[in-house]
Amino acid sequence: MIEILQYGFMQRAFIAGMLIALVCATIGVFLVLRRMALLGDGLAHISFGGIAAGMFFNVYPLVSALAFSVLGALGIQKLKQMKVYGDAAIAIFFSFGLAIGVVLVSLSHGFNADLFSYLFGSILAVSETDILLILGVGIATLAALLLFYKELFYASFDEESAQAAGIPVGRLNTMLIVLTAVAVVLSMRIVGILLVSSFIAIPASTALLMRRSFKQTIVIAAAIAIMSVIVGLVLAYYMDLAAGGAIVLVLVAVFSAALLHTKLHAR
Amino acid sequence: MDKGKKETVLELSNVSFSYGENLVLDDATFKVERGDFAGMIGPNGAGKTTLVKLIFGLLALDRGSIRLFGTDVGKFKEWQRIGYVPQKATSFDQNFPATVFEVASMGRFPKAGLMRQLSREDYMAVEKALGVVGMLELRNSRIGDLSGGQQQRVFIARALAAEPELLILDEPTVGVDAEAQHSFYSLLRQLNRELGMTLLLISHDVGMVAKNVNKLVCVNIKVTFHDISKGINKADLSCAYPAGMELVPHHHDRAVK
């Protein structure tokens, strides 16, 4: 355990992984309760276009991915306001982002392992710059969630009453999906584009099985996510596994155990 | 309370509203004064919920004006002075992870303001509101684990926690059993008489409403207004129903004349 922390890349993976877990699990509780668990997946695919664009035009890929993801999030919100169904709006932008990515990849006649590191995550590829970006933006995202915690809670529970009480529900919804867009991009370095939504959907769904208060649900979701990152990274290091996959398998194992526990106790 | 000079809490003048070509409300005029227990009745689809949305400024008026505490609805900012118990309040996601106390505390959120934590004073107001509706003992229960009647009390506590001056309840007894409805109306009477709370109760249950309120607003596209504090007659109620429909009085304290 001590040995594993001697390596710079493992230290970076732990720091980034735990912060991302905290941010995504918190956002996840709000999204899962709003039946928007797959929004993260959609935004991750949109940001694939951003990664490819970054590589093609020689821009720092996480920054171009952030731009694609946030613009995609705002676009989805805009389409919803124009009466396009929410899941269809996600599907449209999802395909759009992915198509841009595929076209750019074909134009450059294939990128290389670098692109794969974004698709599947690679802790070895997490650079000092990545860490600084993840820390800075991750902490800002967390601060925004904490500052608007009670309003997000109210609007998730009962949008109509929250609106009648003068809470700016529309702007809060936009903020939540923009924060999701940001969280997704931060996560892709560790778990990869294809597995990003796991951090959003699984810890929240596991915590919801425990039937606690709202505050406890968020704390439990965050704890499950952070613990899964630690266990997953340790397993990945000692068993030479892909870190993203290992973390997600741990998350699924915890969820399954919680589900089994609930089923047994329900009888 | 000074009976001679009552403050007008809510005033509608010649309000009309259409969804496209479809006229939903035509020329609604009525007022609710401080200390009133006003009832709004009318069949389903008569425009009651539209009227509530207009009062909260969620829809724009076609014609006429709505004033809240003397201020035009378009300029009104002090929404914490109005409490709201929504229609289908109890049809929320029953698996939602929230305790009775957490739900009731939502009522203090607008008062505390954006980006602020609730204060000690806020928590005390929440406890007091839960006490008034008799739900303080269940404060740590999950909202979804309660009966419909209990949930409804929590939603009233949420509205009361904001210490509103006017409480608007939209079809609050839908999905609640008869016994719970009975104790619900006695809770409303208590709020009105003992705490002096001004109430506007929207319902399609003519009998229960007519029995409890002192002012009656009948909505059926056309809106008529009746002061029934000195008694009630058939015409007061029939306004909300199509011509020719018979009224069958049942379980009334005050007989329909």
Side-chain angles (χ1 to χ4, degrees), chain A residues 33 147 150 153-154 157-158 160-161 165 208 211-215 217, chain B residues 84 86 95-97 99 102 106 109-110 113-116 142 145 158:
Chain A
L33 287 170
L147 283 174
K150 66 183 197 312
F153 169 47
Y154 198 165
F157 180 69
D158 179 352
E160 190 195 350
S161 299
L208 285 171
R211 306 178 53 79
R212 300 297 179 92
S213 74
F214 193 76
K215 212 168 241 173
T217 302
Chain B
Y84 178 51
N95 285 317
F96 197 96
T99 62
E102 283 179 319
M106 290 171 186
F109 291 175
L114 282 175
M115 300 196 268
R116 296 248 163 80
R142 294 228 326 173
D145 293 341
R158 177 173 78 183

PDB file of all heavy atoms in Angstrom, chain A residues 33 147 150 153-154 157-158 160-161 165 208 211-215 217, chain B residues 84 86 95-97 99 102 106 109-110 113-116 142 145 158:
ATOM      1  N   LEU A  33     -32.089  10.809  -9.495  1.00  0.00           N
ATOM      2  CA  LEU A  33     -33.433  11.113  -9.004  1.00  0.00           C
ATOM      3  C   LEU A  33     -34.278  11.831 -10.048  1.00  0.00           C
ATOM      4  O   LEU A  33     -35.497  11.769 -10.023  1.00  0.00           O
ATOM      5  CB  LEU A  33     -33.367  11.955  -7.733  1.00  0.00           C
ATOM      6  CG  LEU A  33     -32.921  11.177  -6.499  1.00  0.00           C
ATOM      7  CD1 LEU A  33     -32.655  12.115  -5.335  1.00  0.00           C
ATOM      8  CD2 LEU A  33     -33.972  10.149  -6.111  1.00  0.00           C
ATOM      9  N   LEU A 147     -22.872  25.152  -2.660  1.00  0.00           N
ATOM     10  CA  LEU A 147     -23.548  26.445  -2.517  1.00  0.00           C
ATOM     11  C   LEU A 147     -25.023  26.360  -2.898  1.00  0.00           C
ATOM     12  O   LEU A 147     -25.859  27.023  -2.306  1.00  0.00           O
ATOM     13  CB  LEU A 147     -22.851  27.500  -3.388  1.00  0.00           C
ATOM     14  CG  LEU A 147     -21.545  28.048  -2.820  1.00  0.00           C
ATOM     15  CD1 LEU A 147     -20.867  28.966  -3.834  1.00  0.00           C
ATOM     16  CD2 LEU A 147     -21.813  28.822  -1.523  1.00  0.00           C
ATOM     17  N   LYS A 150     -29.181  23.157  -1.336  1.00  0.00           N
ATOM     18  CA  LYS A 150     -30.567  23.101  -0.875  1.00  0.00           C
ATOM     19  C   LYS A 150     -31.561  23.400  -1.996  1.00  0.00           C
ATOM     20  O   LYS A 150     -32.613  22.776  -2.076  1.00  0.00           O
ATOM     21  CB  LYS A 150     -30.780  23.993   0.348  1.00  0.00           C
ATOM     22  CG  LYS A 150     -30.645  25.473   0.161  1.00  0.00           C
ATOM     23  CD  LYS A 150     -30.819  26.148   1.540  1.00  0.00           C
ATOM     24  CE  LYS A 150     -31.108  27.627   1.426  1.00  0.00           C
ATOM     25  NZ  LYS A 150     -30.226  28.390   0.520  1.00  0.00           N
ATOM     26  N   PHE A 153     -31.748  20.329  -4.205  1.00  0.00           N
ATOM     27  CA  PHE A 153     -32.524  19.325  -3.476  1.00  0.00           C
ATOM     28  C   PHE A 153     -34.021  19.587  -3.649  1.00  0.00           C
ATOM     29  O   PHE A 153     -34.791  18.699  -4.039  1.00  0.00           O
ATOM     30  CB  PHE A 153     -32.113  19.386  -1.991  1.00  0.00           C
ATOM     31  CG  PHE A 153     -32.984  18.623  -1.042  1.00  0.00           C
ATOM     32  CD1 PHE A 153     -33.375  17.319  -1.309  1.00  0.00           C
ATOM     33  CD2 PHE A 153     -33.404  19.209   0.148  1.00  0.00           C
ATOM     34  CE1 PHE A 153     -34.181  16.619  -0.414  1.00  0.00           C
ATOM     35  CE2 PHE A 153     -34.210  18.514   1.045  1.00  0.00           C
ATOM     36  CZ  PHE A 153     -34.595  17.227   0.756  1.00  0.00           C
ATOM     37  N   TYR A 154     -34.434  20.844  -3.415  1.00  0.00           N
ATOM     38  CA  TYR A 154     -35.847  21.209  -3.523  1.00  0.00           C
ATOM     39  C   TYR A 154     -36.343  20.972  -4.956  1.00  0.00           C
ATOM     40  O   TYR A 154     -37.377  20.327  -5.178  1.00  0.00           O
ATOM     41  CB  TYR A 154     -36.026  22.680  -3.132  1.00  0.00           C
ATOM     42  CG  TYR A 154     -37.438  23.102  -2.780  1.00  0.00           C
ATOM     43  CD1 TYR A 154     -37.686  24.309  -2.129  1.00  0.00           C
ATOM     44  CD2 TYR A 154     -38.535  22.293  -3.078  1.00  0.00           C
ATOM     45  CE1 TYR A 154     -38.965  24.705  -1.790  1.00  0.00           C
ATOM     46  CE2 TYR A 154     -39.819  22.681  -2.736  1.00  0.00           C
ATOM     47  CZ  TYR A 154     -40.027  23.899  -2.105  1.00  0.00           C
ATOM     48  OH  TYR A 154     -41.288  24.297  -1.768  1.00  0.00           O
ATOM     49  N   PHE A 157     -36.802  17.359  -5.836  1.00  0.00           N
ATOM     50  CA  PHE A 157     -37.928  16.712  -5.163  1.00  0.00           C
ATOM     51  C   PHE A 157     -39.255  17.151  -5.773  1.00  0.00           C
ATOM     52  O   PHE A 157     -40.121  16.327  -6.034  1.00  0.00           O
ATOM     53  CB  PHE A 157     -37.901  17.067  -3.671  1.00  0.00           C
ATOM     54  CG  PHE A 157     -39.020  16.456  -2.879  1.00  0.00           C
ATOM     55  CD1 PHE A 157     -39.047  15.080  -2.662  1.00  0.00           C
ATOM     56  CD2 PHE A 157     -40.050  17.236  -2.368  1.00  0.00           C
ATOM     57  CE1 PHE A 157     -40.086  14.505  -1.938  1.00  0.00           C
ATOM     58  CE2 PHE A 157     -41.086  16.658  -1.648  1.00  0.00           C
ATOM     59  CZ  PHE A 157     -41.101  15.298  -1.430  1.00  0.00           C
ATOM     60  N   ASP A 158     -39.416  18.431  -5.990  1.00  0.00           N
ATOM     61  CA  ASP A 158     -40.712  18.954  -6.397  1.00  0.00           C
ATOM     62  C   ASP A 158     -40.498  20.271  -7.142  1.00  0.00           C
ATOM     63  O   ASP A 158     -40.451  21.338  -6.547  1.00  0.00           O
ATOM     64  CB  ASP A 158     -41.558  19.156  -5.129  1.00  0.00           C
ATOM     65  CG  ASP A 158     -42.936  19.721  -5.407  1.00  0.00           C
ATOM     66  OD1 ASP A 158     -43.207  20.097  -6.556  1.00  0.00           O
ATOM     67  OD2 ASP A 158     -43.741  19.778  -4.461  1.00  0.00           O
ATOM     68  N   GLU A 160     -42.317  21.963  -9.235  1.00  0.00           N
ATOM     69  CA  GLU A 160     -43.436  22.922  -9.280  1.00  0.00           C
ATOM     70  C   GLU A 160     -43.458  23.807  -8.042  1.00  0.00           C
ATOM     71  O   GLU A 160     -43.560  25.030  -8.130  1.00  0.00           O
ATOM     72  CB  GLU A 160     -44.757  22.147  -9.414  1.00  0.00           C
ATOM     73  CG  GLU A 160     -45.954  23.014  -9.702  1.00  0.00           C
ATOM     74  CD  GLU A 160     -47.279  22.278  -9.467  1.00  0.00           C
ATOM     75  OE1 GLU A 160     -47.248  21.053  -9.275  1.00  0.00           O
ATOM     76  OE2 GLU A 160     -48.319  22.930  -9.463  1.00  0.00           O
ATOM     77  N   SER A 161     -43.332  23.170  -6.863  1.00  0.00           N
ATOM     78  CA  SER A 161     -43.370  23.946  -5.624  1.00  0.00           C
ATOM     79  C   SER A 161     -42.140  24.822  -5.489  1.00  0.00           C
ATOM     80  O   SER A 161     -42.226  25.951  -4.993  1.00  0.00           O
ATOM     81  CB  SER A 161     -43.449  23.024  -4.403  1.00  0.00           C
ATOM     82  OG  SER A 161     -44.613  22.269  -4.458  1.00  0.00           O
ATOM     83  N   ALA A 165     -42.121  28.804  -5.043  1.00  0.00           N
ATOM     84  CA  ALA A 165     -41.469  29.433  -3.891  1.00  0.00           C
ATOM     85  C   ALA A 165     -40.415  30.449  -4.331  1.00  0.00           C
ATOM     86  O   ALA A 165     -39.738  31.032  -3.493  1.00  0.00           O
ATOM     87  CB  ALA A 165     -40.831  28.368  -3.003  1.00  0.00           C
ATOM     88  N   LEU A 208     -29.087   4.944  -2.867  1.00  0.00           N
ATOM     89  CA  LEU A 208     -30.552   5.030  -2.822  1.00  0.00           C
ATOM     90  C   LEU A 208     -31.185   3.749  -2.282  1.00  0.00           C
ATOM     91  O   LEU A 208     -32.254   3.780  -1.686  1.00  0.00           O
ATOM     92  CB  LEU A 208     -31.108   5.351  -4.211  1.00  0.00           C
ATOM     93  CG  LEU A 208     -30.920   6.807  -4.645  1.00  0.00           C
ATOM     94  CD1 LEU A 208     -31.296   6.995  -6.108  1.00  0.00           C
ATOM     95  CD2 LEU A 208     -31.761   7.731  -3.773  1.00  0.00           C
ATOM     96  N   ARG A 211     -32.069   3.666   1.524  1.00  0.00           N
ATOM     97  CA  ARG A 211     -33.259   4.337   2.033  1.00  0.00           C
ATOM     98  C   ARG A 211     -32.970   5.223   3.242  1.00  0.00           C
ATOM     99  O   ARG A 211     -33.532   5.041   4.304  1.00  0.00           O
ATOM    100  CB  ARG A 211     -34.352   3.321   2.351  1.00  0.00           C
ATOM    101  CG  ARG A 211     -34.697   2.405   1.184  1.00  0.00           C
ATOM    102  CD  ARG A 211     -35.739   1.377   1.526  1.00  0.00           C
ATOM    103  NE  ARG A 211     -36.935   1.968   2.111  1.00  0.00           N
ATOM    104  CZ  ARG A 211     -37.889   2.566   1.412  1.00  0.00           C
ATOM    105  NH1 ARG A 211     -37.783   2.649   0.117  1.00  0.00           N
ATOM    106  NH2 ARG A 211     -38.933   3.078   2.008  1.00  0.00           N
ATOM    107  N   ARG A 212     -32.078   6.151   3.080  1.00  0.00           N
ATOM    108  CA  ARG A 212     -31.765   7.092   4.156  1.00  0.00           C
ATOM    109  C   ARG A 212     -32.277   8.486   3.796  1.00  0.00           C
ATOM    110  O   ARG A 212     -32.981   8.657   2.816  1.00  0.00           O
ATOM    111  CB  ARG A 212     -30.247   7.146   4.379  1.00  0.00           C
ATOM    112  CG  ARG A 212     -29.618   5.824   4.760  1.00  0.00           C
ATOM    113  CD  ARG A 212     -30.176   5.359   6.091  1.00  0.00           C
ATOM    114  NE  ARG A 212     -29.612   4.075   6.460  1.00  0.00           N
ATOM    115  CZ  ARG A 212     -28.519   3.928   7.208  1.00  0.00           C
ATOM    116  NH1 ARG A 212     -27.889   4.985   7.640  1.00  0.00           N
ATOM    117  NH2 ARG A 212     -28.071   2.737   7.507  1.00  0.00           N
ATOM    118  N   SER A 213     -31.843   9.473   4.602  1.00  0.00           N
ATOM    119  CA  SER A 213     -32.208  10.861   4.319  1.00  0.00           C
ATOM    120  C   SER A 213     -31.436  11.334   3.089  1.00  0.00           C
ATOM    121  O   SER A 213     -30.540  10.638   2.602  1.00  0.00           O
ATOM    122  CB  SER A 213     -31.854  11.753   5.510  1.00  0.00           C
ATOM    123  OG  SER A 213     -30.461  11.949   5.569  1.00  0.00           O
ATOM    124  N   PHE A 214     -31.762  12.509   2.608  1.00  0.00           N
ATOM    125  CA  PHE A 214     -31.101  13.009   1.409  1.00  0.00           C
ATOM    126  C   PHE A 214     -29.614  13.250   1.659  1.00  0.00           C
ATOM    127  O   PHE A 214     -28.766  12.854   0.875  1.00  0.00           O
ATOM    128  CB  PHE A 214     -31.776  14.300   0.929  1.00  0.00           C
ATOM    129  CG  PHE A 214     -31.355  14.692  -0.454  1.00  0.00           C
ATOM    130  CD1 PHE A 214     -31.858  14.023  -1.555  1.00  0.00           C
ATOM    131  CD2 PHE A 214     -30.434  15.702  -0.654  1.00  0.00           C
ATOM    132  CE1 PHE A 214     -31.453  14.363  -2.834  1.00  0.00           C
ATOM    133  CE2 PHE A 214     -30.030  16.048  -1.928  1.00  0.00           C
ATOM    134  CZ  PHE A 214     -30.548  15.378  -3.021  1.00  0.00           C
ATOM    135  N   LYS A 215     -29.335  13.922   2.766  1.00  0.00           N
ATOM    136  CA  LYS A 215     -27.947  14.239   3.103  1.00  0.00           C
ATOM    137  C   LYS A 215     -27.127  12.952   3.229  1.00  0.00           C
ATOM    138  O   LYS A 215     -26.031  12.832   2.681  1.00  0.00           O
ATOM    139  CB  LYS A 215     -27.914  15.015   4.420  1.00  0.00           C
ATOM    140  CG  LYS A 215     -26.786  16.005   4.511  1.00  0.00           C
ATOM    141  CD  LYS A 215     -26.981  16.938   5.703  1.00  0.00           C
ATOM    142  CE  LYS A 215     -27.102  18.382   5.246  1.00  0.00           C
ATOM    143  NZ  LYS A 215     -27.458  19.293   6.323  1.00  0.00           N
ATOM    144  N   THR A 217     -27.771  10.094   1.920  1.00  0.00           N
ATOM    145  CA  THR A 217     -27.659   9.454   0.607  1.00  0.00           C
ATOM    146  C   THR A 217     -26.460  10.013  -0.157  1.00  0.00           C
ATOM    147  O   THR A 217     -25.681   9.257  -0.759  1.00  0.00           O
ATOM    148  CB  THR A 217     -28.960   9.669  -0.204  1.00  0.00           C
ATOM    149  OG1 THR A 217     -30.045   9.123   0.541  1.00  0.00           O
ATOM    150  CG2 THR A 217     -28.887   9.002  -1.562  1.00  0.00           C
TER     151      THR A 217
ATOM    152  N   TYR B  84     -47.712  27.598  -0.500  1.00  0.00           N
ATOM    153  CA  TYR B  84     -48.410  26.847  -1.542  1.00  0.00           C
ATOM    154  C   TYR B  84     -48.325  25.354  -1.267  1.00  0.00           C
ATOM    155  O   TYR B  84     -47.238  24.811  -1.057  1.00  0.00           O
ATOM    156  CB  TYR B  84     -47.764  27.182  -2.897  1.00  0.00           C
ATOM    157  CG  TYR B  84     -48.349  26.447  -4.074  1.00  0.00           C
ATOM    158  CD1 TYR B  84     -49.712  26.440  -4.298  1.00  0.00           C
ATOM    159  CD2 TYR B  84     -47.528  25.775  -4.973  1.00  0.00           C
ATOM    160  CE1 TYR B  84     -50.250  25.771  -5.383  1.00  0.00           C
ATOM    161  CE2 TYR B  84     -48.047  25.115  -6.069  1.00  0.00           C
ATOM    162  CZ  TYR B  84     -49.411  25.115  -6.269  1.00  0.00           C
ATOM    163  OH  TYR B  84     -49.943  24.467  -7.350  1.00  0.00           O
ATOM    164  N   PRO B  86     -49.196  22.175  -3.299  1.00  0.00           N
ATOM    165  CA  PRO B  86     -49.592  21.901  -4.679  1.00  0.00           C
ATOM    166  C   PRO B  86     -50.575  20.749  -4.826  1.00  0.00           C
ATOM    167  O   PRO B  86     -50.686  19.886  -3.957  1.00  0.00           O
ATOM    168  CB  PRO B  86     -48.274  21.554  -5.359  1.00  0.00           C
ATOM    169  CG  PRO B  86     -47.404  21.040  -4.280  1.00  0.00           C
ATOM    170  CD  PRO B  86     -47.809  21.763  -3.033  1.00  0.00           C
ATOM    171  N   ASN B  95     -40.002   6.877  -3.480  1.00  0.00           N
ATOM    172  CA  ASN B  95     -38.688   6.373  -3.083  1.00  0.00           C
ATOM    173  C   ASN B  95     -37.680   7.493  -2.884  1.00  0.00           C
ATOM    174  O   ASN B  95     -36.507   7.232  -2.623  1.00  0.00           O
ATOM    175  CB  ASN B  95     -38.152   5.414  -4.152  1.00  0.00           C
ATOM    176  CG  ASN B  95     -38.862   4.080  -4.079  1.00  0.00           C
ATOM    177  OD1 ASN B  95     -39.077   3.556  -2.992  1.00  0.00           O
ATOM    178  ND2 ASN B  95     -39.256   3.562  -5.221  1.00  0.00           N
ATOM    179  N   PHE B  96     -38.128   8.723  -3.040  1.00  0.00           N
ATOM    180  CA  PHE B  96     -37.193   9.848  -2.916  1.00  0.00           C
ATOM    181  C   PHE B  96     -36.587   9.852  -1.524  1.00  0.00           C
ATOM    182  O   PHE B  96     -37.282   9.757  -0.524  1.00  0.00           O
ATOM    183  CB  PHE B  96     -37.914  11.170  -3.175  1.00  0.00           C
ATOM    184  CG  PHE B  96     -36.964  12.307  -3.461  1.00  0.00           C
ATOM    185  CD1 PHE B  96     -36.664  12.660  -4.756  1.00  0.00           C
ATOM    186  CD2 PHE B  96     -36.358  13.001  -2.423  1.00  0.00           C
ATOM    187  CE1 PHE B  96     -35.773  13.695  -5.021  1.00  0.00           C
ATOM    188  CE2 PHE B  96     -35.470  14.037  -2.678  1.00  0.00           C
ATOM    189  CZ  PHE B  96     -35.172  14.382  -3.978  1.00  0.00           C
ATOM    190  N   PRO B  97     -35.245   9.953  -1.454  1.00  0.00           N
ATOM    191  CA  PRO B  97     -34.588   9.888  -0.155  1.00  0.00           C
ATOM    192  C   PRO B  97     -34.675  11.210   0.597  1.00  0.00           C
ATOM    193  O   PRO B  97     -33.768  12.017   0.503  1.00  0.00           O
ATOM    194  CB  PRO B  97     -33.137   9.566  -0.518  1.00  0.00           C
ATOM    195  CG  PRO B  97     -32.952  10.212  -1.847  1.00  0.00           C
ATOM    196  CD  PRO B  97     -34.281  10.153  -2.545  1.00  0.00           C
ATOM    197  N   THR B  99     -36.244  12.940   4.458  1.00  0.00           N
ATOM    198  CA  THR B  99     -36.977  12.757   5.711  1.00  0.00           C
ATOM    199  C   THR B  99     -38.060  13.824   5.821  1.00  0.00           C
ATOM    200  O   THR B  99     -38.054  14.820   5.080  1.00  0.00           O
ATOM    201  CB  THR B  99     -36.050  12.903   6.922  1.00  0.00           C
ATOM    202  OG1 THR B  99     -35.509  14.226   6.923  1.00  0.00           O
ATOM    203  CG2 THR B  99     -34.918  11.886   6.878  1.00  0.00           C
ATOM    204  N   GLU B 102     -36.472  17.103   6.418  1.00  0.00           N
ATOM    205  CA  GLU B 102     -35.843  17.680   5.218  1.00  0.00           C
ATOM    206  C   GLU B 102     -36.890  18.303   4.295  1.00  0.00           C
ATOM    207  O   GLU B 102     -36.671  19.381   3.741  1.00  0.00           O
ATOM    208  CB  GLU B 102     -35.040  16.608   4.463  1.00  0.00           C
ATOM    209  CG  GLU B 102     -33.701  16.292   5.107  1.00  0.00           C
ATOM    210  CD  GLU B 102     -32.904  15.220   4.374  1.00  0.00           C
ATOM    211  OE1 GLU B 102     -33.514  14.225   3.925  1.00  0.00           O
ATOM    212  OE2 GLU B 102     -31.687  15.365   4.256  1.00  0.00           O
ATOM    213  N   MET B 106     -37.623  22.600   3.398  1.00  0.00           N
ATOM    214  CA  MET B 106     -37.616  23.259   2.081  1.00  0.00           C
ATOM    215  C   MET B 106     -38.391  24.577   2.139  1.00  0.00           C
ATOM    216  O   MET B 106     -38.079  25.513   1.403  1.00  0.00           O
ATOM    217  CB  MET B 106     -38.287  22.359   1.031  1.00  0.00           C
ATOM    218  CG  MET B 106     -37.483  21.134   0.678  1.00  0.00           C
ATOM    219  SD  MET B 106     -38.496  20.050  -0.355  1.00  0.00           S
ATOM    220  CE  MET B 106     -37.420  18.640  -0.487  1.00  0.00           C
ATOM    221  N   PHE B 109     -36.177  27.542   2.535  1.00  0.00           N
ATOM    222  CA  PHE B 109     -35.106  27.821   1.573  1.00  0.00           C
ATOM    223  C   PHE B 109     -35.193  29.220   0.955  1.00  0.00           C
ATOM    224  O   PHE B 109     -34.195  29.933   0.916  1.00  0.00           O
ATOM    225  CB  PHE B 109     -35.064  26.758   0.463  1.00  0.00           C
ATOM    226  CG  PHE B 109     -34.620  25.394   0.926  1.00  0.00           C
ATOM    227  CD1 PHE B 109     -34.626  24.316   0.049  1.00  0.00           C
ATOM    228  CD2 PHE B 109     -34.191  25.181   2.232  1.00  0.00           C
ATOM    229  CE1 PHE B 109     -34.217  23.052   0.461  1.00  0.00           C
ATOM    230  CE2 PHE B 109     -33.786  23.923   2.657  1.00  0.00           C
ATOM    231  CZ  PHE B 109     -33.805  22.858   1.765  1.00  0.00           C
ATOM    232  N   PRO B 110     -36.386  29.630   0.471  1.00  0.00           N
ATOM    233  CA  PRO B 110     -36.436  30.964  -0.154  1.00  0.00           C
ATOM    234  C   PRO B 110     -36.083  32.067   0.847  1.00  0.00           C
ATOM    235  O   PRO B 110     -35.438  33.036   0.482  1.00  0.00           O
ATOM    236  CB  PRO B 110     -37.892  31.092  -0.606  1.00  0.00           C
ATOM    237  CG  PRO B 110     -38.393  29.700  -0.681  1.00  0.00           C
ATOM    238  CD  PRO B 110     -37.681  28.943   0.392  1.00  0.00           C
ATOM    239  N   GLY B 113     -32.372  32.284   1.428  1.00  0.00           N
ATOM    240  CA  GLY B 113     -31.697  32.875   0.270  1.00  0.00           C
ATOM    241  C   GLY B 113     -30.738  31.899  -0.386  1.00  0.00           C
ATOM    242  O   GLY B 113     -30.313  30.919   0.220  1.00  0.00           O
ATOM    243  N   LEU B 114     -30.402  32.207  -1.633  1.00  0.00           N
ATOM    244  CA  LEU B 114     -29.487  31.362  -2.404  1.00  0.00           C
ATOM    245  C   LEU B 114     -28.125  31.303  -1.730  1.00  0.00           C
ATOM    246  O   LEU B 114     -27.662  32.278  -1.166  1.00  0.00           O
ATOM    247  CB  LEU B 114     -29.308  31.941  -3.822  1.00  0.00           C
ATOM    248  CG  LEU B 114     -30.426  31.698  -4.832  1.00  0.00           C
ATOM    249  CD1 LEU B 114     -30.130  32.451  -6.111  1.00  0.00           C
ATOM    250  CD2 LEU B 114     -30.600  30.221  -5.122  1.00  0.00           C
ATOM    251  N   MET B 115     -27.469  30.176  -1.828  1.00  0.00           N
ATOM    252  CA  MET B 115     -26.094  29.991  -1.369  1.00  0.00           C
ATOM    253  C   MET B 115     -25.934  30.136   0.147  1.00  0.00           C
ATOM    254  O   MET B 115     -24.837  30.299   0.635  1.00  0.00           O
ATOM    255  CB  MET B 115     -25.138  30.965  -2.075  1.00  0.00           C
ATOM    256  CG  MET B 115     -25.119  30.784  -3.563  1.00  0.00           C
ATOM    257  SD  MET B 115     -23.711  31.575  -4.330  1.00  0.00           S
ATOM    258  CE  MET B 115     -24.359  33.156  -4.717  1.00  0.00           C
ATOM    259  N   ARG B 116     -27.031  30.140   0.894  1.00  0.00           N
ATOM    260  CA  ARG B 116     -26.928  30.263   2.345  1.00  0.00           C
ATOM    261  C   ARG B 116     -27.409  28.976   3.012  1.00  0.00           C
ATOM    262  O   ARG B 116     -28.325  28.335   2.542  1.00  0.00           O
ATOM    263  CB  ARG B 116     -27.827  31.407   2.845  1.00  0.00           C
ATOM    264  CG  ARG B 116     -27.419  32.754   2.337  1.00  0.00           C
ATOM    265  CD  ARG B 116     -26.890  33.620   3.479  1.00  0.00           C
ATOM    266  NE  ARG B 116     -26.139  34.759   2.956  1.00  0.00           N
ATOM    267  CZ  ARG B 116     -26.714  35.868   2.497  1.00  0.00           C
ATOM    268  NH1 ARG B 116     -28.013  35.974   2.533  1.00  0.00           N
ATOM    269  NH2 ARG B 116     -25.988  36.855   2.030  1.00  0.00           N
ATOM    270  N   ARG B 142     -38.786   8.595   6.703  1.00  0.00           N
ATOM    271  CA  ARG B 142     -38.743   8.921   5.283  1.00  0.00           C
ATOM    272  C   ARG B 142     -40.141   9.301   4.828  1.00  0.00           C
ATOM    273  O   ARG B 142     -41.122   8.637   5.149  1.00  0.00           O
ATOM    274  CB  ARG B 142     -38.260   7.712   4.472  1.00  0.00           C
ATOM    275  CG  ARG B 142     -36.829   7.366   4.769  1.00  0.00           C
ATOM    276  CD  ARG B 142     -35.972   7.152   3.579  1.00  0.00           C
ATOM    277  NE  ARG B 142     -36.600   6.558   2.427  1.00  0.00           N
ATOM    278  CZ  ARG B 142     -35.966   6.442   1.268  1.00  0.00           C
ATOM    279  NH1 ARG B 142     -34.734   6.875   1.143  1.00  0.00           N
ATOM    280  NH2 ARG B 142     -36.558   5.878   0.242  1.00  0.00           N
ATOM    281  N   ASP B 145     -42.464   6.724   3.438  1.00  0.00           N
ATOM    282  CA  ASP B 145     -42.959   5.670   4.319  1.00  0.00           C
ATOM    283  C   ASP B 145     -44.250   6.069   5.036  1.00  0.00           C
ATOM    284  O   ASP B 145     -44.832   5.257   5.753  1.00  0.00           O
ATOM    285  CB  ASP B 145     -41.892   5.313   5.371  1.00  0.00           C
ATOM    286  CG  ASP B 145     -40.677   4.652   4.730  1.00  0.00           C
ATOM    287  OD1 ASP B 145     -40.812   4.157   3.592  1.00  0.00           O
ATOM    288  OD2 ASP B 145     -39.609   4.639   5.358  1.00  0.00           O
ATOM    289  N   ARG B 158     -44.397  22.281   5.406  1.00  0.00           N
ATOM    290  CA  ARG B 158     -43.399  22.918   4.544  1.00  0.00           C
ATOM    291  C   ARG B 158     -43.841  24.339   4.189  1.00  0.00           C
ATOM    292  O   ARG B 158     -43.050  25.278   4.247  1.00  0.00           O
ATOM    293  CB  ARG B 158     -43.211  22.096   3.269  1.00  0.00           C
ATOM    294  CG  ARG B 158     -42.242  22.721   2.294  1.00  0.00           C
ATOM    295  CD  ARG B 158     -41.949  21.818   1.117  1.00  0.00           C
ATOM    296  NE  ARG B 158     -43.039  21.840   0.159  1.00  0.00           N
ATOM    297  CZ  ARG B 158     -43.075  21.098  -0.941  1.00  0.00           C
ATOM    298  NH1 ARG B 158     -42.093  20.255  -1.204  1.00  0.00           N
ATOM    299  NH2 ARG B 158     -44.084  21.176  -1.768  1.00  0.00           N
TER     300      ARG B 158
END
